[in-house]
Every structure is written in structure tokens, then in C-alpha cells.
Amino acid sequence: MELTFLQILWFILIAVLWIGYLTLEGFGFGVGMLIPIVSKNDRERRLALGTIGPHWDGNEVFLLTAGGATFAAFPAWYATMFSGMYTALVLILLLLIIRICALEWRGKINTAKWRNTWDTLHTTVAWLATLVWGVAFGNLVQGMAIEVGHYENGVFKAADPNAVDAALKAGDNHFLTGGFFSLFTPFTVFSGLVFLAIFATHGALYMAIKTRGEFSVRNMELAKKLTLVTVAGAAIWGLWANFAYSANALSIIPLLVAALAFIAAAFFAQQNKDVAAFFASFTAIAFAVVFVFLTFGANALKSYVNEKYNLTLVQASATSPTQTIMTIAAVIFVPIVLGYTFWAYKSFAARMAVENVPEKPAGLGPQVRAFETAK
Amino acid sequence: MNVDLARWQFGITTVYHFLLVPLTIGLSPLVAVMQTRWLKSGDQRWLRLSEFFGKILLINFALGVATGIVQEFQFGMNWSQYSLFVGDIFGAPLAFEALLAFFLESVFLGVWIFGRGRVSPKAHTASIWLAALGTNISALFILAANSFMQHPVGAVFNPETGRAELDGMGGFLKVIFSPTTLYAFAHTITASLLVAGSLIAGISLWWLVRRMNAGDTAEATNYWKPAAHFGLVTMLVSSLLVIGTGHFMGQHVGEIQPTKMSAAMGIYEGGEAHPLGLALTSTELGPDSVITLPIPGLESFAATNHFSGPDSYIPGTKDLQEQFAKQFGAEVNGMPVNYIPNVFVSFYSFRIMMGLGFASFILSIVGLAAIKGDKLPTSKGLAKLFIWTIPFPYIASIFGWILTEMGRQPWVVYPIVAEMGVKDSNQMVKLLTENAVSPTVLSAEIVISMLAFTLLYAALGIVWFLLVKRYAKEGINTNADYEVKPVDLKAEPNATLSFNY
């Protein structure tokens, strides 16, 4: 069966949602990772948190939308990937839960111990979640132990690779049979490390453009060094990914754009052009996502066991009425969502200096307010 | 083995998530109402009340969002065969929820928390309304998805793929606006308002009594009496609506899921003019296992709107088991199938839910009587009563969901009863729970993740409770000289955020 227009469109839209998540939460994770490194005191930590405060929650919705869109447009992709990456996803979920609580509750009680606990958790989680996302995307590029078959009393029976279509018709499905530890290879672990470098750079640049004064300068100085690590790491990773794993000759194009954008980010950073450097980093991440999706498209999941076991988009696809309904919703609501998201960013566009952060932290003291009790 | 573990995990994470959701759904519009009252009248009391309850809303919102992500992912993780089977229909409401509701909720909540002084007071008030709208739209889509599991309209079975498919584009509207969805939506939203109203009434009455006993009649009169009145009226109206929507929803459920209703009613043998069952004498239903109230037809009325006569007939679990076994097979994979859900759980969760719903109605009247006219109550017993009963609608909501979800067992997608016998049962959209689970996932993986979720949820739940309690005890600082003035962003481009961690 041929790919339909709607299937291609939804593959692109899912990539766009991941671009939204990784470019926007990318700096959110970066800020979380760098807070103890770039801030000298609690007031600066609060300044750093304030740069992502109004936005991180909206940014995270890109992930939820990507999950929902994958479920709706390509159910088999969603089912195979999420059940196959079970333990990795559990880890991600636990980390994201802690991150949300750390961000929301940190300012609720005004004691140093309370703040430090949540800050430590926030930073740890930002490092770990970035690493796990990197490993996960490394797996998408590299391919996984995907096989077609069925389970009989808990034992997997693989179908003949040359008779996959008939097997699928008879009730077999795609499964990731490798288990949790199969997700770790030198390439996927290296992907995790590259993600760390990219997000840290992105976060430093973001803090630089959202603040003024010494704090901004300090972030820029850090970003100057980080961009070099990122360019080197991303270059090795991109070449490795493209020539060892890409199933698609076109993938070289976004790779080149991403490479140029990473270099531009480093170049602008050295010249202290923080806004230009941030948007170059933004563009680089966006095209890196395009690259990742092209390395495995038009499959949904690539098998390293046998390429006949690949889960193709056609096999993974929902029916056309479902994709049509979703398209109508996307055409109407994506511009609206982007519109008010942009408005929200604009409302908080003014750069903040540490003087704009009140000396007294938010939150209630450890003791309940003393009340006069007349009787 | 896996199916039991996966069910426990789904149950634990879902019930926990739903401890937080109703307060968010109910409290966000109520806080928006308070802030709007300030915006319209300039009355600073309502601004401070909106801030006070707004902080509790935010503490709650954090954990609600955090645990909500698990909900979306675990269909693929633990229930991959379910996701494959219904993905064509079930995924779309989840995607719609994120696109139409979550963005609205998250972006505007951010503006609301950080943006006072950065955006105009009107835009700031609109932000909380939009966030509240988001939470309520989100409820609609999630209930549509859930209702599809209860009553799979808008879908057809495709024998070629072995999966359920959307019945054309109109099928989607059938899913979103099915009667099952609309009953569930009306019942859930009113229950959520009851949860939030009870919290407002409870905290406000407690403060009202406390300030009266401390001799601070001014604060009691100016702040806590109007707040208590607001909460109690919300309780009164929403409890009546909860009971009303519940009554009609129950009858609908009786039609679409007879096994759930008969188990909840405790009816073993079908018949007319059933009296109300009060207690079970054993965990299994038998001919004489229910102790009933000697008023004839009360239970029949609840289920059918008729006290007696042929219209009051309710089928019994005995007949339904025979009927379902005949239709869908007495055995699956060599094991006999029990088509009747756990009777003990269904029977008592139904009664706990209804009992607590009525209790809320009575409480709201007690509370309104206590503050009627110029009365300013000083009874500590009253204050304690309203604090201790804040959890009532929570518990009712939780048992409502336990009944809804456990009552559909052994099905994950309950077949449409009206089509039974008409269609070849092999061609119906239906799925047994045991066939829905992910086969690749190891039992050990589920056990470890379940432990991790349970421990983390427990720890965060304790922090959540202590934070809410701490903020409730802090009250409103009525002495603070505080007025909201809009900041001119052009004159002061470096205006600080209204919340600074």
C-alpha cells in the first residue's frame, strides 16, 4: 500500500510537535541543568527559574500532544513504541512528575532547606530526563529489536520475515522484543550525552537573552564554551547517525542545515550576539529533529533484526476518517494555540535583572502566622 | 498475572490522579468567579479571597498535571493490545484534549500566576477563565474517551484488521457527544463543583468560627461569611445537580451495562418492584444475600423511574451471566468467564457514592441555616464538622469511578447490548480486559514501576496535603495594605514578575 497524503501530513505534524517540545522544553531542561552552575545565590536561582516560570507548563504540552497525535494517527506506532520502551518511559514519567512538583512547589514555603531540596531534585531530574530522551531518540535513529509475531503463553513466536503481510492479517503484531537493556548501545548512550550538551547550551543562551546585567553575561560566557562542545558532539553524532543508520538519502539535507545552525550559534555566541545565537540554536534543534525523523521515515519504527520487520507508517496508520478529523482540528486550532503561546512569550519578553527579583523569597514561613486569640 | 498487575497499576494511578482532578475542575471556575467579582466591583475582599483559594488551586494543579501525564502514556505502555484495538477511535479525543484544552490551561495558568502587572487586569482575569475553560474541555474529551470504553458507539469492527475503526467522520461526533459522554460529563462537572464548593465552605466556616471566637467580627463578617455563603450555595446547587444527573445516568447505565447495574443494585434474580438493598450477607450474590429496606420498589424506581409494574423490571446477575455466556462464550482460553463484575465492590461503592452525595446536600442546608441572615456562628463543633466533611465528595467521586471502571469488567470495551443477538457477536466492537494487556512487558517491570509510582505518589501526596493544610491555616492577611495597580510596561520595562519563586 502507498502512503497517503494524510499519513505523510501526520508524520510531519508529529515531527513538528516534537520540534515544539525539544526546542522549547529543551531550554527548560537546560535552565534546570545549569541553575547551580550559573547562579551564585538564591536570588539568582530565583531569577533563573523566573525565566521559564510562566512557560514551562505550556511547553510541556507539546509532549502530551505528540503522544496523543501518535496514538490517534498511528496507533500501532504508539502501542509498539510505548510498550516496548516500557521501563525507559516509566523513568521519564517519574522524572517529569518530580520536575513539575519541584517547579510548582519550590516557592511555596520560605525556608532554605525547602528550596534547596526542590532545587537539587529539579537539577538532577533535568540532567537525567535529558539523558533518557537522548537515549530514546538514539534508538529511533538506530532502530530497535522490532519483530512481527505473537505471544503464546508468554513466549514470542516470530513470523517469517518474508510473510509479514500475511502474518499481520492473521493477527500478528509488531513488538519490541529486546527488552529494556537492548535500548543501550554505544550510539544511543552517545546520543544521550549529545542531548545534554545541546540542551545545556540552549538553556544558557535562553537565560542570557531573558536577563540583563552580570547574570546574563555569565550565562553568555558559559554558552561560549558550551557551544563548542555542542558543535563537536553534534557533528560526530550526525555523521555517525547519517552514515551508519539512516534509511533515507534525504536525511543529509536537514543534517547539513542543523550543522550550519549549530556552527552559527557558536559563531554568534563568540560575538556576544545572544539573541542571534539563541535563535540559531533553536533552528539547529528544529532541523536536528527533522533529521531524526527522516532517518527512520517512512517507517514508524525501524527494526535492526530484519528490515522486513520494520513498522511502516502505512501499517501503523489509523483510518483516513480519523486522520481527516484530526487534520480539521489541527488546521483550526494550531494557529490559535501558536497565537496565544506567542502572546504569552511576548507578555514576559522584558529582560529581568537580579534587582527585579524581590529579596524576600515567595512562600509561607515555616511557622503558621501568629494570631491574636482573644478568648 | 500481567493483566492483574496492569489493572492494579491502572487503578492506583487513575484513582490517585482523580483525587486531584475534581478540585482543579471545580475550583478554577470558582476562583475565576471570585476574581471577576473584584474586577467588576473593585471590592478588594474578593481579590484576596481569589488569591487565597487560588494558591490552594495551584498546589493541587501541580500534582494533577504531573500525574496526568502518566495517564496518557500508560495506555501504550501497559495496554498496547487495547491501544492497537481501539487506537483509531480512542486516540483522537486524547489528541484533541491536548490541543484544545491542555495548551489553553497551561499557557493561561502561567500568565495568571506570573502576569499580574504584566498584563492588564482584564487580561489577567480572562486568563483564569481560560484556564478554567481548559480544565473543563479536558474533562469532556477524557470522558468521551472513557465513555467509548463503556459504550463503543461511532465505531465498527473491521474483520480484516481485527480492530475497531471509526465509523466515518460522523463517528467521531458520536463518540464525543454520545449520551454516555454527556451524562458522565454533567455528573463529573457537578461533582467537581461539589468538591470545590465543600472545600471553600469548609475552610471558610472554620475561619468564620475561629475569627468570631477571637473577637475579630470584622474579618469574620467581611471575608469569611461571604466566602462561606459562596461555598455553601455552590454545594447546595451542585449536590442537587449531582443527585439529579446521577439518577438519570444510573438509568442510562442500566440500559447500556446491565451487568454493572445489577451488581451495584445487588440483584441476583430479575424481577419487578425491587426493594432497596442495604447490605450484603456474603461477597457472592445468591437468592438471599441482600438485606433490603421494606419499602417496595425503591430500587426499581432508582433504576427505572417506576416503582412497580413491568417497566420496573431489573434483570438479575444470574440471568445476565447466562445470557452473556450464551452470546460471548462460557469459556475463553479454556477458563470460564465471569461476566458479572465484583459484586461486593460494585454494591458498596454505589451506596457510598450515593450516601455521601446526599450527605453533602444535607450539610449545605445545615451550613446555610447556620449563617442565615445576620447570624455569625461561633460553634466549634460546626467548624469541625465542615472541616471533617470536606473529603465526603472526594470519596464519593473516587467510589463513583471505582464503580464505573470495575463495573465494566471483565470488559475493557463493553459490547453494545442493544446490538446483542442482532449482530454476529464476533463482529462487535468489544474487548475483554485480559486481551488488552501488553504482552512484551515483563511482570517484574510492572511490579517495579508500580512500587516506584506508589512510593513517589505517597511522598508527593503527603507534601500536597501538608501544603494545602499549611496554606489553609495561614488564612488571609487582611491587614496588609495591598491594592492591585496595573504596571505601565512602557514606563517600567523591567517590571518584576508577580510571582518570584
Side-chain angles (χ1 to χ4, degrees):
Chain A
M1 276 210 280
E2 287 284 310
L3 269 175
T4 64
F5 168 74
L6 285 176
Q7 287 165 350
I8 297 170
L9 178 72
W10 275 96
F11 184 67
I12 294 171
L13 283 174
I14 289 167
V16 168
L17 291 165
W18 279 106
I19 289 174
Y21 181 65
L22 296 171
T23 52
L24 298 171
E25 278 295 68
F27 63 69
F29 284 121
V31 170
M33 287 159 66
L34 296 181
I35 279 180
I37 297 168
V38 293
S39 43
K40 286 185 191 155
N41 52 45
D42 188 58
R43 211 166 158 196
E44 288 192 346
R45 287 205 288 276
R46 284 156 52 214
L47 174 66
L49 283 169
T51 64
I52 54 168
H55 307 300
W56 63 266
D57 193 8
N59 295 343
E60 193 167 75
V61 180
F62 280 95
L63 170 67
L64 294 170
T65 316
T70 310
F71 196 171
F74 302 103
W77 186 3
Y78 171 87
T80 310
M81 181 162 70
F82 284 17
S83 63
M85 291 184 165
Y86 188 87
T87 299
L89 274 166
V90 168
L91 269 174
I92 288 265
L93 292 173
L94 294 170
L95 296 170
L96 293 183
I97 291 172
I98 297 171
R99 178 170 182 262
I100 292 171
C101 291
L103 279 160
E104 289 269 9
W105 289 350
R106 191 244 193 219
K108 293 285 170 258
I109 300 290
N110 180 10
T111 67
K113 194 179 161 198
W114 175 269
R115 279 193 293 276
N116 291 340
T117 308
W118 289 117
D119 283 349
T120 309
L121 283 171
H122 179 203
T123 298
T124 313
V125 157
W127 281 90
L128 289 175
T130 305
L131 193 68
V132 181
W133 279 131
V135 172
F137 274 86
N139 272 286
L140 293 182
V141 172
Q142 174 200 270
M144 289 174 276
I146 303 286
E147 291 179 82
V148 173
H150 60 274
Y151 280 80
E152 263 178 37
N153 303 318
V155 181
F156 183 72
K157 305 266 188 215
D160 179 357
N162 294 313
V164 161
D165 282 339
L168 287 173
K169 231 169 217 173
D172 281 8
N173 285 313
H174 289 83
F175 292 104
L176 199 167
T177 52
F180 177 59
F181 293 104
S182 77
L183 300 177
F184 298 91
T185 65
F187 176 75
T188 61
V189 173
F190 184 62
S191 306
L193 298 176
V194 171
F195 260 56
L196 289 177
I198 293 173
F199 282 4
T201 310
H202 202 46
L205 288 170
Y206 178 76
M207 283 190 278
I209 68 165
K210 292 292 282 185
T211 58
R212 291 180 296 132
E214 203 219 328
F215 187 76
S216 177
V217 173
R218 203 182 310 142
N219 274 290
M220 209 52 218
E221 290 305 315
L222 180 64
K224 279 179 193 171
K225 293 173 201 145
L226 284 173
T227 49
L228 300 178
V229 181
T230 299
V231 167
I236 298 169
W237 184 80
L239 293 172
W240 189 353
N242 193 63
F243 294 108
Y245 301 118
S246 177
N248 197 321
L250 289 174
S251 67
I252 192 86
I253 299 166
L255 180 65
L256 283 174
V257 181
L260 285 175
F262 274 124
I263 293 167
F267 176 75
F268 289 129
Q270 308 309 320
Q271 296 193 319
N272 288 319
K273 290 184 179 158
D274 56 359
V275 176
F278 174 74
F279 282 105
S281 171
F282 194 98
T283 311
I285 296 173
F287 276 91
V289 179
V290 177
F291 167 69
V292 165
F293 273 71
L294 271 188
T295 59
F296 62 81
N299 295 305
L301 291 171
K302 226 164 55 178
S303 170
Y304 63 57
V305 181
N306 187 319
E307 65 175 34
K308 296 218 164 80
Y309 287 146
N310 287 352
L311 173 64
T312 66
L313 288 178
V314 173
Q315 289 164 341
S317 179
T319 60
S320 123
T322 300
Q323 291 180 341
T324 310
I325 290 275
M326 302 255 299
T327 306
I328 294 169
V331 166
I332 298 170
F333 286 97
V334 168
I336 296 175
V337 168
L338 292 179
Y340 64 67
T341 302
F342 182 75
W343 173 79
Y345 271 93
K346 216 174 132 240
S347 299
F348 296 97
R351 289 185 187 231
M352 300 235 305
V354 75
E355 301 84 63
N356 295 116
V357 180
E359 267 174 69
K360 186 179 173 289
L364 304 177
Q367 301 298 319
V368 177
R369 186 161 64 108
F371 285 101
E372 67 286 15
T373 39
K375 283 176 196 172
Chain B
M1 180 65 177
N2 265 10
V3 69
D4 293 326
L5 290 170
R7 277 186 64 194
W8 271 106
Q9 182 156 41
F10 191 84
I12 291 169
T13 51
T14 306
V15 163
Y16 189 91
H17 177 59
F18 205 74
L19 274 172
L20 306 149
V21 171
L23 186 63
T24 304
I25 295 175
L27 195 53
S28 49
L30 295 180
V31 168
V33 168
M34 294 184 204
Q35 188 170 331
T36 309
R37 282 186 155 185
W38 157 75
L39 187 76
K40 293 224 157 177
S41 64
D43 184 345
Q44 295 276 322
R45 292 179 307 165
W46 285 107
L47 178 67
R48 288 187 197 154
L49 281 168
S50 74
E51 286 185 341
F52 173 70
F53 287 107
K55 279 172 187 157
I56 293 173
L57 170 67
L58 291 179
I59 293 165
N60 191 69
F61 187 85
L63 200 51
V65 168
T67 54
I69 308 177
V70 179
Q71 300 306 106
E72 183 185 322
F73 282 63
Q74 70 175 328
F75 293 110
M77 290 162 68
N78 275 333
W79 304 100
S80 68
Q81 298 311 291
Y82 168 77
S83 302
L84 276 174
F85 181 69
V86 298
D88 201 56
I89 306 115
F90 191 84
L94 299 192
F96 271 63
E97 186 197 21
L99 185 64
L100 272 67
F102 285 161
F103 273 116
L104 203 62
E105 196 176 339
S106 303
V107 170
F108 284 101
L109 205 70
V111 174
W112 188 64
I113 300 169
F114 293 90
R116 173 165 284 157
R118 285 259 173 149
V119 299
S120 71
K122 267 188 192 165
H124 189 254
T125 308
S127 296
I128 183 70
W129 275 112
L130 288 168
L133 182 69
T135 58
N136 282 269
I137 296 175
S138 151
L140 176 67
F141 284 115
I142 278 307
L143 291 168
N146 183 270
S147 297
F148 178 80
M149 302 164 83
Q150 314 287 348
H151 192 54
V153 292
V156 284
F157 181 81
N158 180 347
E160 206 148 282
T161 56
R163 291 173 194 167
E165 289 178 0
L166 199 63
D167 188 7
M169 293 195 351
F172 182 74
L173 294 177
K174 276 193 201 158
V175 172
I176 302 295
F177 298 110
S178 80
T180 315
T181 307
L182 297 179
Y183 281 121
F185 183 66
H187 197 51
T188 307
I189 297 297
T190 48
S192 301
L193 284 166
L194 181 56
V195 166
S198 302
L199 182 98
I200 294 176
I203 293 177
S204 305
L205 270 177
W206 183 77
W207 269 106
L208 175 54
V209 170
R210 205 169 160 208
R211 295 321 289 153
M212 285 308 289
N213 288 332
D216 187 353
T217 318
E219 182 178 323
T221 316
N222 290 331
Y223 288 87
W224 299 115
K225 191 165 173 190
H229 189 259
F230 181 58
L232 287 164
V233 170
T234 307
M235 268 178 88
L236 176 69
V237 175
S238 57
S239 62
L240 282 172
L241 290 172
V242 163
I243 293 165
T245 53
H247 177 68
F248 292 110
M249 185 175 166
Q251 290 170 21
H252 177 68
V253 170
E255 281 169 27
I256 62 164
Q257 297 181 328
T259 52
K260 180 189 283 179
M261 214 47 189
S262 297
M265 296 266 174
I267 295 169
Y268 181 67
E269 276 177 282
E272 298 171 7
H274 266 284
L276 187 68
L278 290 178
L280 291 173
T281 53
S282 81
T283 51
E284 296 287 326
L285 272 190
D288 297 311
S289 55
V290 183
I291 300 164
T292 56
L293 196 71
I295 304 172
L298 208 55
E299 195 154 279
S300 284
F301 174 73
T304 64
N305 263 352
H306 294 276
F307 282 99
S308 60
D311 287 339
S312 73
Y313 179 84
I314 310 174
T317 55
K318 186 179 137 206
D319 328 318
L320 289 167
Q321 170 67 25
E322 280 170 16
Q323 187 192 335
F324 274 62
K326 211 167 129 196
Q327 177 94 20
F328 301 112
E331 288 183 355
V332 170
N333 301 334
M335 297 287 287
V337 188
N338 182 5
Y339 289 100
I340 307 303
N342 186 316
V343 172
F344 185 81
V345 173
S346 308
F347 184 88
Y348 282 109
S349 43
F350 189 46
R351 274 149 192 80
I352 293 169
M353 173 181 74
M354 291 208 301
L356 292 176
F358 280 106
S360 289
F361 169 69
I362 293 163
L363 274 167
S364 69
I365 293 182
V366 170
L368 282 169
I371 61 163
K372 191 169 175 274
D374 296 330
K375 273 193 269 180
L376 289 161
T378 52
S379 155
K380 284 186 181 165
L382 182 84
K384 275 187 191 158
L385 174 71
F386 273 82
I387 286 289
W388 285 106
T389 52
I390 288 176
F392 276 15
Y394 271 107
I395 300 168
S397 300
I398 292 303
F399 278 101
W401 273 112
I402 290 174
L403 174 61
T404 304
E405 299 300 279
M406 289 198 50
R408 84 178 134 70
Q409 301 300 334
W411 302 101
V412 65
V413 180
Y414 199 100
I416 296 182
V417 181
E419 292 175 358
M420 283 171 66
V422 179
K423 266 189 181 178
D424 172 7
S425 77
N426 290 323
Q427 305 292 308
M428 288 172 74
V429 176
K430 62 178 181 354
L431 188 66
L432 287 168
T433 307
E434 63 177 293
N435 296 330
V437 76
S438 299
T440 30
V441 180
L442 306 172
S443 298
E445 285 183 297
I446 311 183
V447 171
I448 292 167
S449 67
M450 191 149 59
L451 272 175
F453 279 125
T454 311
L455 290 175
L456 183 66
Y457 279 9
L460 295 176
I462 292 167
V463 178
W464 166 82
F465 177 74
L466 292 176
L467 274 176
V468 171
K469 192 174 149 201
R470 175 74 188 76
Y471 270 78
K473 277 179 125 177
E474 180 73 12
I476 300 175
N477 190 348
T478 54
N479 299 319
D481 192 20
Y482 171 68
E483 265 200 62
V484 173
K485 291 181 215 113
V487 177
D488 183 356
L489 270 175
K490 283 192 182 121
E492 283 179 82
N494 307 315
T496 51
L497 298 172
S498 54
F499 177 76
N500 263 283
Y501 287 98

